Every structure is written in structure tokens, then in C-alpha cells.
Amino acid sequence: MTPSSRALPSRRLLLGSLPLVGLALAACTDNPGVASPASDGGGSGAVAVTLTDDACELSTASVPSGQVTFTITNSGTVPNEFEILAEDKLRIISEKENIGPGSSVELTTSLAEGSYFTASKPNMVGALVGTAAFTVTAGEAVEVDEDTAALEEKAVADYTAYIKDQVGLLVTSAKEFTDAYVSGDRELARSLFAQGRRPYERIEPTAEAFGIEEAGDLDMAMDARVQDLAADAGTEVTDPSVLEGWTGWHRIEADLFTEDGSPFSFADDAARKAAADDLNKNIQTLYDIVYGKRTGLGGAAFTITLNDVVQGAQGLMEEVATGKIVGEEDTFSHTDLDDFQANLQGAQVAYGNVQALVVAKDEALDKDISERFDAVQAELDKHTDGTTPDGEPAFVDYSTIASVQEDAGEAPGDDSYTDAQRAISDAVNALSESLSQVAGTILH
Amino acid sequence: MDRQHQEDVPGVGTSADGTPEGMRPTSGTTPDDVAPASASADGSARSSGARAGGVGRRGLLGAAGGALLAGGLLGAAGMRAADSRGGAAGEGSADPLSRSHPLRGEHQSGITTAAQDYLFTAAFDVTTSDLEDLRTLMADWSVAAEQMTAGELVGGEPDPNPYAAPRDTGEAWGYPPSSLTITVGVGRGIFLDADGKDRFGLASRITEVLEAGMPTFANEALQEKHSGGDIIVQACADDAQVAMHAIRNLTRIAFGTAALRWTQIGYGRTSSTSTAQETPRNLFGFKDGTLNVKAEDGADVLAEHLWVAEGDDGGDWLSGGTYLALRKIRMHLEVWDRLQLGDQEATIGRDKRYGAPLSVADPSASRAEFTAPDYEAAEGGSPLIPTDAHIRLVAPENNDGARMLRRGYNYTDGSDSLGRIDGGLFFAAFVRDPRAGFYPILDRMTRSDALTEYLQHVASGLFAILPGIGTGDTMFGQRLFGVPGSAAPGAGGSASDGGGASDSGA
């Protein structure tokens, strides 16, 4: 994959339209078959399931709605699978795979009133065996749904508040950075670059979501990379026509972190001030949109759906995988690890907001995700170096531990990534793979 | 649930124009529409249209199968053993694309199984430090492998939930099983870490062969990044995309527990299960590794040379398994192509056209290939098969009877920066004890073989291939990874103790 060809369009495809399209919260969540959070709503007791190689027998064919625990015993000779299917016999409500012969396992799930089917699948292949109707009668499921709905609303509300909080921080952190930059104190400005961007990197997918048309694309305006602009224009990164149209964080980074007189240097301090003002103006626009003082493109108000929260976590880790690990994001300053840390923090917050919903459905998935967040953080912690001026951990120059793209030059060859990059990449892949299961777990 | 099976088109035994069946292209959607000289339409370039209807080149060769294909010394015997496994309904199917091989059995498939057209092998490094994760991986892989070899999606039924990332990646959706086999083995790193310390509590189970590792050989220039690994997965299929799908999905399942170290794609399977058929050619254009074991040697030969026995080192977990020695051998193709025909033949020890040993005077038919080489034959004091000819150096009769089952594939990894084709042989030997059955031969070859001048060994690997998954087993390597004393003796761990059950609340 080439760094130049994927960048912005694909990012927008991932997350772009969601908040604007504004999928109504209810549309994502009105699934009657959802499990309950760890409340004790329901509690309809246990069902014994006996699997053999050619049968699947339940101790009862009907239970009241709520939490149901199936105790599944495989009395057959081959590994088997137990499935609870929706009325269409297609959608799997819950399942337990690979139950060894002679062993017994429990499956606890929350079932709403309705008609279901139960079945087994010896060796996890071929046709269902012992398919039988299973009825869930009215029980305490109403409470279950209410609990879930409350958690979903809270997830959205908390994440919305977080975004507002970070955008508020961004206004001041960016101002602090650009003030130093405009004052001509380049050393101070360099030290403030990473921390100035941090709030933005924590919520980047949200900002990206406001860029549907090129002209109003805030992420484009604030965070475009010259490699992508040059590739779109079919020319060199140092082509004046490309540089003229380039604004935002990385435009200032290029001026600040290259020698005076480099192709990326601004002509004079007036140009520097203009770039700083432009960045602050766009950040203010983002602030105004997020705080409801104005609408985004097409008159859309800032809204967040539950899906946005989920995709926020995933999208941030994708940012890490595509931009940071390969050292293309901060090609002049090599502060990629600082951005990476901010992306990770943002993803953790987004996931934290839906965590209770995940726990209610699939505790093992939550355990995996939590462990894998820790594993990524542990990889990052190996590369800290002092603190940024605001007291947060600072990171080493990424080019000292990684093969990176220098000054928007040639991208590292596929074979040249370092062991440190590999370790980070493995940890991120593990986390991202687990995070990709969250949406399907809590949204239907 | 079951993928749609394609319409079976009966294979055509011989082509009207006399083109060898193995060389015939598949063209478009009309299997009978043979376009003789159009190599570009062959094999790897098949369109999905061809997939839907065409049997083409596989009609004859694939139907018979062929463990000999990559020049397996034990080829014919291997074929018979594969037949005796019985198993899945589709196994005996005439069309290799609709054929499926059972995952379960005494031995894993993909060893004596009639070799398929395509190979995708992947080596993984384990990234977890928790044996429980490894156990779960072996269980989850067994489920996915059983589904994929049966031609089903990973996870069985697709989940219609539009918010869920699909569990199966989808590129083989609707494709027939295509003779897919998935064969799993473990390397030294499952037992010992780089410092030789116990890594997962399994150190006491390591075998001497794995602990010692493969010795070094003359003239090798091994690339660390493309060698070794903690786990090996060999996927073979008669459709390249089906093999790719298998490795991709197993890789995805492994994230967090194991990560890809290197992969290799191979092609160039042709087969020969009887003397009437063509033996495969390597990229030097020679029929390599022609039959050396008579079919009637059969099961005894396999037991003696291929399968680890209960009494062998590590037999408690490895009996029914075997070792896999891998060598990626780059061929200097451009240099070779400029050699005089006589020099090429003297280097190999066979004639190029028919594959007959040079001890056969004036070969005139393909069957001459199967004439036993006469290493004593001489003319004017010089042996007809030169003393440094490849076939002389590697022949079992010249190596104390040492034998192995070879199952290699040709490979091409694009071209290098000098414009040379980066290709060669991805050599794979399955052997009961590589110290007796493989290293001595490789040693002779790398030191004395005339062919070595045109070869460069660039990567290497040594793995213990796990025994077959038993009827009641819930994971690959149940006897190595399973929980001792679990609820089902000999039949695998229970789900609750990590025997592999996984639930997906939906």
C-alpha cells in the first residue's frame, strides 16, 4: 500500500458520514433480543442441554424472558456446538462452540420474549442437528431492555461530553503552541507541538466526520499531510503549488522542524502568522460545531450515535496502524509516538463508554480488549523520554526506533520495519481485531 | 450453509490435439474450449468464470490425484495411504475442486494427501506468554479448519447483523472446498525461548530433533526473517484463492496470540500417479524427484520413514505426526538457461525431454523416466550418470536407504533489483527423523551436487507436524496442548478449562 494513495479518501469512507447522516440512536439499538447488563433482571433459571452426535435435547422448551443459563453436556463422541437461533433460523442469538465429548459448559445469555430455535452442530460443520422450537414467554424482560437502553444513552452522552471537553482543550493547547511559534521562539514551539495536537488526536475521527466536501473539510484543513496533497496533484512534495494549498498542523510542523531555507520553510514571519491564524480559526470552527453554535456541512448538527462511539475507538486505532506505526504522520518532527499515545487514550475513552454494554454481552471479549489496551500501552511505555511541558509523558523521536519517512521523502520499504515497530504493530493488530467485534456485539 | 458446489464437468482424458493434459489451459467458462498454446490462460490466471465451469487441466490429473507431484520419493505409496483414510464424502470426487479432505484422522491431511495445485504456507511467531492463549488458538484453529476444509465459511452461517465485522473474510464464499488441507506443526519456540528457557511449561516435552534444530549446511545464506518460526501452517488447495483464504482467516484468528513471521506461496504442482502421466518439472525444466519407491512398498515404508512412532522421542504427543524440513532454494534461472543441454542433463542426471536417467540409451517415451537409474553404467570409463549428478547424490540407494516424503512447490517472489526472476523451489520434506532421513542427503547435496552451483538456499525451517486431530479432540495437538486429566480422557479438554469452547453472545 502506498502512503500517498490511501490517506484521506479512505479515512472518510470509514467514518465520514456517520454523525452527519445521524443514524438515530434508536435505529441502532432497538433489538429486543439483547442481553442485559449485569443486573439481576430476569433470572429465569437454568436449562439443561444434552448433546449427542445426532440429537440436541433440552430439559424444557419454554422459559420466561431474562437471563437464562444453559448447562450444556456433550454426551456424544465428537466436539459439538450449541446454538440459539432467532425465529428465522439464521441469526445466531448465542452459541457455544467446540464443546468436547464428555465435557460440560455453561452458556448464560439474556433472552427477550419471542420464538427461537435451538440446535446443535457436531464438529461445527454441516447441517444443524436436533433443531427444535424454543419459546421465551413474557417475564421480566422489560427491565432488561430498559437497563440496556439506559446504558446506551449514557455511553452516547459521556462520549459527547468527552468530545466537547477535548475540543475545548484543543482551543487552548493549539493557541499556546501557535503563540510560541508566532513569537519566533522555535525551540519552545517545537516542545509544544506534540502536546498542542494531543486533544485533536484523541478525537480525530470526529473532526474527520465533518469533512465531506473538500472545501469544508476540517480535517483536511487542519491535519493534511503534504505527501497526500502531492500525490493527489501528481507532483512532488516540494512543488510550490502543493505547498501553497497546504494548511494546518503539518504545514507548521514542516516549517518548524526543517532548517531555515528548506523547501518547506515559510518565506517570512507573516506567512507563519497566517498559518497559525488559519489553524486557530479552523479549530474554532470545530469548537462551534461541537458546541452547537453552528452547524456542520449541509446544516447538520453535531450528534453522536452509539455506532460513532464504537467506531471512534476502532477508527483511532486505524489511525495508529496506517499513519503512526509507519512513521508517516509526523514526518518532520517524528513525534508520531505522542500522537499514537493520544489516539490510544481516545480509543480507551470511547471503549470505556461502551464497556458496560460489552460486559453484559460478552465478558470474554471485554477481558481481551482490556488486556490488549494494556499491552499496547506497555509497548508505548518502552519508548517514553521525560515529559512534555504540561507534565505528560513525552516520547522519543520516533526515527530513533523505527524506519520512518523523513521529511515527506521516500516511505520505508516493506522489509525495513524495525523490531520495535513490529512489536507495536502486533499489539495494535491484536487490540484492533478485538475492537472490531464490539459493534457486532452491542449493535444489531 | 454448504457453499454452492459448482456443476461438475467430467474431465476430459485426452485432448484431441494430443497436448499433455497437464499443459492444457482452461479457457473462459467453456471447459471444452481448449486453446492449446495459450499458457496465459492457465492455472493462476483463471477467472472466476473458469472456476464456475471449467475443470480443464484438472480433469485427468487432478482426478487421479498425485502424491508424487512434487517429486515425492514416497509418492505412490502416499497416494495409497491417502485413499485408505476414507473420510469425507467428497474425498473421492473426480473433480478436485469439489473434493474435500477430512480434518480428522490418525494423521493430518496435507502430507500423504494427493498434492494440490497450490500452496500457501505461513510461519507464525507466538506473541503471548500464556499457554492458555495457545490452547485457545489451537482449538479455534481446529474449528475454523474443519469448517474451511468442508467448504464452509468460518463460523458457519454468516451473521446478518450489519454492524458486525464479518467473521469470515469472504473471498472463498461460494467456492467449493477445492481439496483444501490445513496442516499444523510446532517449532522449537513452543518449548524454549531464545535463551533456552522453558517458555510455556512445555519444555520437558521437546524432542531432541527440535532442541538441536537444523544443522548448518555448506553454501547456505539463510535469511533470518524468512526462516524458522514457532508455528507452521501449510494450506494446500486446487484453487489458489481458497488456500489464501485459509491462511488469511487463520492469521486473523491468531491476532493477539501469534503473528505472521513469513509466508510463502507456491505453485507448480503437476502430478503423476502412474507411469502413463507426466512427472512435474521444476523451474530448471527437469522432471525432478521421479518415483523412487514402488507403490507396493506402501504402509510399511510410511511407518518406517514418515510417521513418528509411539516409542520414538516425543512419541507421547507426536506419534502419528512427523517432521517437516523446509528449504527455500532460489534458482539462478538466467544462468541455468544458458547452459548447453548436455551440461544441464549431466548436472541433473536425466534427459530433459523424457526425464529418463542418463543410463537409458536413447529414451523415446515418457515411460523411460521410470526406468531405474543404473549408477554403474559407464561408457569409455566414465559413468553415464556423472558422479556429481543430482539424482545420484540424493538417491536413497546412495544414502543408506534414507527416504522422505517430498511435497515441495515451485515459487516465484517477483523479480529482484537486477531484473532477475526471484524464483526457485520451496522444498518441503516430511520425515520421521530428519537426522537419518534428511540431513545426510542435504549435506551431500550442498557439498557435492553439481546442481548446487545454480542454487542458493535462502531460508530454512524445522517443525514437528502434529498428529491428526482425533475424533473427539477439540484442538490441534491435543496430546501436547490439551489439559491432562480433563473430563474427557483422550478426547480433549472441556470448554470450561479452556478446551476451546468459545461463545459469542450476540
Side-chain angles (χ1 to χ4, degrees):
Chain A
M1 111 174 90
T2 59
S4 52
S5 58
R6 59 164 136 73
L8 293 164
S10 68
R11 287 157 153 196
R12 256 180 256 123
L13 280 177
L14 175 70
L15 288 161
S17 62
L18 288 164
L20 287 179
V21 171
L23 290 168
L25 180 59
C28 306
T29 58
D30 66 345
N31 166 38
V34 298
S36 89
S39 77
D40 40 29
S44 13
V47 179
V49 180
T50 304
L51 305 179
T52 58
D53 296 352
D54 53 11
C56 172
E57 291 174 2
L58 276 66
S59 58
T60 174
S62 175
V63 295
S65 60
Q67 290 279 110
V68 185
T69 298
F70 296 86
T71 303
I72 310 155
T73 302
N74 182 358
S75 304
T77 63
V78 301
N80 213 323
E81 172 178 359
F82 175 67
E83 294 183 0
I84 302 161
L85 299 142
E87 197 171 8
D88 61 6
K89 291 192 194 174
L90 291 176
R91 192 159 67 85
I92 296 168
I93 302 299
S94 196
E95 66 178 359
K96 202 86 172 176
E97 283 185 341
N98 206 8
I99 306 163
S103 62
S104 190
V105 297
E106 285 195 351
L107 170 64
T108 299
T109 189
S110 185
L111 295 173
E113 182 183 359
S115 299
Y116 300 85
F117 286 91
T118 55
S120 63
K121 195 188 265 193
N123 284 333
M124 287 66 73
V125 296
L128 295 171
V129 168
T131 307
F134 186 75
T135 306
V136 177
T137 58
E140 302 172 58
V142 177
E143 283 179 33
V144 174
D145 283 349
E146 280 178 355
D147 283 353
T148 302
L151 281 175
E152 289 170 347
E153 277 172 33
K154 182 168 161 40
V156 170
D158 288 355
Y159 194 59
T160 304
Y162 177 71
I163 288 174
K164 288 183 174 177
D165 186 48
Q166 291 303 312
V167 173
L169 273 178
L170 178 64
V171 171
T172 46
S173 69
K175 186 73 169 39
E176 186 184 8
F177 163 66
T178 54
D179 282 352
Y181 174 64
V182 170
S183 79
D185 188 343
R186 290 171 72 85
E187 195 179 333
L188 178 63
R190 287 192 192 110
S191 76
L192 292 171
F193 177 70
Q195 77 175 46
R197 283 170 58 72
R198 194 176 287 139
Y200 187 76
E201 289 293 320
R202 289 184 185 129
I203 57 159
E204 188 170 357
T206 305
E208 285 180 12
F210 282 87
I212 286 188
E213 293 171 19
E214 292 298 319
D217 186 334
L218 279 177
D219 185 53
M220 231 5 218
M222 290 191 282
D223 210 30
R225 300 180 300 179
V226 69
Q227 304 96 305
D228 303 327
L229 298 176
D232 286 351
T235 181
E236 302 293 315
V237 292
T238 50
D239 190 312
S241 69
V242 168
L243 294 174
E244 275 166 26
W246 183 26
T247 59
W249 287 106
H250 296 301
R251 179 66 192 94
I252 297 173
E253 176 202 1
D255 175 67
L256 189 55
F257 287 89
T258 56
E259 297 294 320
D260 205 23
S262 87
F264 301 105
S265 285
F266 278 121
D268 50 37
D269 287 345
R272 293 188 174 92
K273 181 164 189 319
D277 290 347
D278 178 71
L279 176 61
N280 286 317
K281 178 177 68 81
N282 284 322
I283 288 171
Q284 187 61 45
T285 301
L286 178 64
Y287 180 93
D288 290 346
I289 291 172
V290 166
Y291 279 82
K293 296 181 177 181
R294 55 166 291 181
T295 55
L297 284 170
F302 173 71
T303 55
I304 290 287
T305 66
L306 189 60
N307 197 13
D308 294 331
V309 185
V310 173
Q311 301 243 30
Q314 213 175 321
L316 282 161
M317 294 319 295
E318 178 164 321
E319 287 287 327
V320 169
T322 57
K324 277 71 173 187
I325 289 174
V326 295
E328 292 172 8
E329 178 81 15
D330 301 302
T331 182
F332 302 98
S333 65
H334 305 306
T335 52
D336 305 84
L337 290 173
D338 296 88
D339 283 11
F340 184 162
Q341 176 71 75
N343 287 156
L344 185 66
Q345 288 168 345
Q348 268 176 307
V349 169
Y351 177 70
N353 286 327
V354 297
Q355 186 171 17
L357 290 162
V358 175
V359 169
K361 302 277 178 54
D362 189 345
E363 277 189 58
L365 176 61
D366 172 64
K367 183 168 171 285
D368 270 353
I369 291 173
S370 299
E371 285 175 2
R372 290 171 178 189
F373 265 121
D374 291 347
V376 175
Q377 186 63 59
E379 283 302 327
L380 270 181
D381 289 346
K382 291 177 182 171
H383 309 296
T384 52
D385 179 24
T387 57
T388 46
D390 59 1
E392 295 284 313
F395 292 87
V396 299
D397 179 318
Y398 193 45
S399 66
T400 62
I401 64 158
S403 290
V404 302
Q405 199 177 9
E406 290 282 358
D407 294 351
E410 194 176 351
D414 279 346
D415 240 12
S416 67
Y417 294 118
T418 66
D419 290 347
Q421 275 167 302
R422 177 65 201 246
I424 292 170
S425 179
D426 283 347
V428 168
N429 269 330
L431 172 60
S432 300
E433 193 66 30
S434 297
L435 282 175
S436 76
Q437 294 175 36
V438 169
T441 303
I442 66 172
L443 301 171
H444 292 277
Chain B
M1 116 186 7
D2 280 343
R3 292 183 193 153
Q4 291 179 328
H5 281 222
Q6 66 177 64
E7 297 272 325
D8 285 357
V9 179
V12 182
T14 53
S15 65
D17 61 6
T19 308
E21 194 66 39
M23 307 299 283
R24 286 175 55 192
T26 299
S27 80
T29 56
T30 314
D32 292 328
D33 177 15
V34 176
S38 169
S40 65
D42 201 352
S44 58
R46 274 180 314 142
S47 66
S48 56
R51 177 176 295 115
V55 172
R57 61 191 292 250
R58 295 186 182 77
L60 176 64
L61 295 175
L68 261 179
L69 48 113
L73 298 178
L74 297 177
M79 179 61 202
R80 236 178 38 180
D83 283 346
S84 69
R85 287 175 51 124
E91 196 177 18
S93 170
D95 172 14
L97 290 183
S98 61
R99 187 185 305 147
S100 65
H101 295 289
L103 186 76
R104 292 168 195 275
E106 183 183 359
H107 312 294
Q108 288 194 70
S109 293
I111 303 169
T112 60
T113 305
Q116 304 90 325
D117 276 354
Y118 301 102
L119 164 92
F120 196 159
T121 288
F124 293 82
D125 282 334
V126 173
T127 54
T128 184
S129 55
D130 187 350
L131 176 60
E132 197 56 41
D133 289 344
L134 214 45
R135 203 172 267 154
T136 301
L137 177 65
M138 289 295 158
D140 290 349
W141 269 3
S142 75
V143 173
E146 191 146 30
Q147 290 165 337
M148 290 191 287
T149 53
E152 294 190 8
L153 296 174
V154 171
E157 289 286 338
D159 183 349
N161 179 1
Y163 292 97
R167 197 161 152 193
D168 186 290
T169 56
E171 71 270 32
W173 199 344
Y175 289 28
S178 310
S179 305
L180 174 68
T181 57
I182 292 167
T183 313
V184 176
V186 296
R188 186 178 193 276
I190 290 295
F191 306 90
L192 302 172
D193 65 17
D195 301 322
K197 295 203 170 63
D198 193 351
R199 191 167 173 196
F200 295 101
L202 298 173
S204 64
R205 317 283 297 277
I206 197 170
T207 63
E208 288 174 13
V209 168
L210 283 181
E211 185 163 15
M214 200 185 293
T216 56
F217 294 94
N219 302 311
E220 62 186 13
L222 304 182
Q223 300 161 355
E224 177 69 18
K225 280 186 174 177
H226 298 109
S227 297
D230 298 333
I231 302 176
I232 193 82
V233 180
Q234 171 196 273
C236 293
D238 284 313
D239 185 309
Q241 189 148 317
V242 168
M244 155 65 185
H245 172 259
I247 292 297
R248 180 175 171 198
N249 281 272
L250 295 177
T251 300
R252 193 175 170 209
I253 290 168
F255 279 127
T257 301
L260 280 180
R261 178 180 178 88
W262 55 261
T263 61
Q264 185 64 54
I265 292 174
Y267 62 93
R269 172 223 95 106
T270 47
S271 71
S272 111
T273 53
S274 79
T275 52
Q277 293 180 326
E278 298 259 335
T279 297
R281 289 182 188 268
N282 61 28
L283 293 185
F284 282 157
F286 276 79
K287 297 178 177 183
D288 189 17
T290 299
L291 178 76
N292 251 321
V293 169
K294 308 284 183 294
E296 56 267 24
D297 290 348
D300 290 347
V301 173
L302 295 176
E304 183 182 350
H305 296 287
L306 180 60
W307 306 122
V308 171
E310 276 182 36
D312 290 358
D313 184 25
D316 62 314
W317 62 272
L318 190 56
S319 64
T322 181
Y323 288 96
L324 170 61
L326 295 172
R327 302 291 289 186
K328 183 174 179 178
I329 304 169
R330 179 165 178 183
M331 294 173 158
H332 300 310
L333 300 175
E334 292 79 2
V335 176
W336 174 266
D337 293 343
R338 294 167 195 138
L339 289 185
Q340 295 176 11
L341 176 63
D343 287 346
Q344 291 187 1
E345 293 181 333
T347 301
I348 300 291
R350 293 185 181 278
D351 105 288
K352 193 163 189 175
R353 180 171 186 180
Y354 298 110
L358 294 182
S359 53
V360 174
D362 300 323
S364 59
S366 292
R367 62 188 317 137
E369 167 195 352
F370 299 98
T371 304
D374 179 357
Y375 296 109
E376 307 300 322
E379 198 173 81
S382 299
L384 289 173
I385 299 173
T387 54
D388 61 354
H390 175 64
I391 64 166
R392 178 188 291 272
L393 282 152
V394 301
E397 50 264 59
N398 298 327
N399 286 283
D400 298 326
R403 286 167 176 176
M404 67 197 99
L405 187 148
R406 291 170 58 182
R407 210 173 190 280
Y409 285 78
N410 296 327
Y411 79 86
T412 312
D413 290 349
S415 54
D416 68 16
S417 55
L418 293 179
R420 302 176 300 189
I421 290 174
D422 183 358
L425 173 65
F426 187 67
F427 176 96
F430 291 94
V431 61
R432 179 181 176 184
D433 185 343
R435 296 169 300 188
F438 178 59
Y439 302 157
I441 298 174
L442 188 57
D443 184 51
R444 275 167 62 89
M445 189 182 154
T446 52
R447 280 190 293 108
S448 314
D449 193 332
L451 194 54
T452 293
E453 188 176 342
Y454 307 99
L455 304 176
Q456 179 71 65
H457 289 239
V458 293
S460 179
L462 176 66
F463 301 90
I465 297 298
L466 298 164
I469 301 180
T471 308
D473 286 359
T474 55
M475 67 182 77
F476 283 106
Q478 188 92 37
R479 281 183 276 147
L480 177 62
F481 296 108
V483 178
S486 71
S494 72
S496 55
D497 65 15
S502 58
D503 71 299
S504 76

